[in-house]
Amino acid sequence: MKKLIILLAIPFIISCSSTKTIKFSQKADDIVTTQSLKEFLINNKTPKVVLRVPRSTYSVTDSEKNENIQVENKDYLYGAIENQLLASGFIVRDRQLFNQIIGNDENNIDYKKLKEKSDTDLIIELTKLDTKIIYETNNYYDKKNKLKVENYGTHKEYGASVEFKIVLINSNEFAGVYKFNYTPCVDGCIISKSLKDIQKEMRLYKKKGVTPYEGVEKNIMEDFIKNATFQLVTEMRK
């Protein structure tokens, strides 16, 4: 009976493993740069900047630890932004020290005094970082690259976005806002797998288990953030 079930199941598995590819169109970025910022950067080739980031309020529960769910730590992304700013010729100030300067004045500090105390020209504020934007479609491309509609259900992938706000400290001027988007599967993602790959994954699962990852994977996210920061500098200097 076991052999009969396996023989009957093989055609079903093979039919379900035909090549399918999904694609999403790149979401447009939102860019606003003031004339004041453009002129400032023309006259200041190596500006002194500080990155301000949202305070982390995420705490890990015991159940999440027991379920071995990977909790996102964004410090590596903040470091990637600062490294890219350095590579672009900016002088990057210590953000913790900058926050202490503001804190010591009870958040009621004159911006000109802040410039003197911190020796900083620009605040680059990371206002939002979302690594769990869901892109969904019921369309797919077959192995002949023909667009088709899924009979049952939809396919989902994680995308991401990052938003920056720029402040000119000397004039306390809101000088720019930038939103960059990571759209998954722009060049296509294969969503069906061969029988061989399925068997390989099953052996790996039995041996090690699988660690869930909710959101855009770390290496992809880091590349996106580096590229977004490079685009940020390029747009600011246009």
Side-chain angles (χ1 to χ4, degrees):
M1 179 62 72
K2 275 187 178 182
K3 288 182 179 179
L4 179 60
I5 293 172
I6 292 170
L7 288 171
L8 290 172
I10 286 174
F12 173 75
I13 294 172
I14 292 173
S15 67
C16 290
S17 63
S18 58
T19 302
K20 293 181 181 180
T21 302
I22 58 172
K23 295 180 183 180
F24 294 104
S25 298
Q26 177 64 48
K27 191 173 182 180
D29 300 325
D30 295 322
I31 309 293
V32 177
T33 305
T34 65
Q35 189 62 34
S36 298
L37 180 57
K38 292 178 182 179
E39 291 175 359
F40 175 82
L41 291 174
I42 289 172
N43 297 319
N44 296 270
K45 302 300 182 183
T46 56
K48 299 165 186 176
V49 304
V50 65
L51 175 68
R52 297 203 69 192
V53 301
R55 291 185 179 180
S56 176
T57 56
Y58 196 99
S59 60
V60 186
T61 65
D62 290 336
S63 62
E64 286 173 330
K65 290 178 182 177
N66 294 335
E67 291 172 7
N68 197 29
I69 293 177
Q70 182 171 347
V71 177
E72 186 178 21
N73 183 338
K74 294 177 180 175
D75 286 344
Y76 76 100
L77 295 177
Y78 305 150
I81 294 170
E82 290 173 328
N83 289 341
Q84 186 60 53
L85 290 171
L86 281 169
S88 300
F90 288 3
I91 298 171
V92 180
R93 297 303 190 205
D94 186 284
R95 50 190 150 96
Q96 293 183 348
L97 182 60
F98 186 87
N99 289 335
Q100 286 177 6
I101 292 171
I102 294 177
N104 289 339
D105 288 87
E106 298 178 350
N107 297 318
N108 191 26
I109 193 168
D110 180 84
Y111 269 78
K112 289 185 178 179
K113 290 182 180 178
L114 177 60
K115 176 176 172 58
E116 293 173 3
K117 290 186 177 184
S118 65
D119 191 21
T120 303
D121 300 312
L122 298 174
I123 298 174
I124 299 178
E125 185 175 348
L126 195 160
T127 55
K128 189 175 181 181
L129 178 58
D130 192 343
T131 64
K132 300 177 183 179
I133 299 174
I134 294 177
Y135 286 73
E136 184 174 7
T137 182
N138 65 344
N139 294 331
Y140 71 92
Y141 293 86
D142 63 15
K143 61 183 180 181
K144 295 181 179 179
N145 202 34
K146 290 183 178 180
L147 183 62
K148 295 191 174 182
V149 178
E150 197 68 78
N151 292 325
Y152 303 100
T154 59
H155 301 287
K156 300 178 182 179
E157 294 287 339
Y158 280 111
S161 69
V162 60
E163 297 179 32
F164 296 98
K165 181 176 76 174
I166 310 298
V167 176
L168 275 164
I169 294 181
N170 192 44
S171 59
N172 187 20
E173 182 180 349
F174 178 42
V177 60
Y178 307 83
K179 180 179 180 181
F180 301 104
N181 299 293
Y182 164 67
T183 304
C185 305
V186 171
D187 297 321
C189 293
I190 296 174
I191 55 174
S192 67
K193 298 175 181 177
S194 67
L195 180 59
K196 184 178 179 180
D197 286 338
I198 293 171
Q199 291 172 335
K200 184 178 179 180
E201 284 189 359
M202 290 180 68
R203 288 195 297 270
L204 185 64
Y205 176 77
K206 288 179 181 178
K207 185 178 180 181
K208 294 183 177 180
V210 175
T211 301
Y213 195 100
E214 186 180 358
V216 178
E217 292 184 18
K218 184 175 179 179
N219 60 329
I220 296 174
M221 193 64 201
E222 188 169 6
D223 286 342
F224 163 63
I225 283 295
K226 288 178 181 177
N227 184 58
T229 308
F230 178 81
Q231 288 179 267
L232 170 68
V233 173
T234 301
E235 292 294 338
M236 287 168 62
R237 284 177 167 165
K238 276 187 177 179

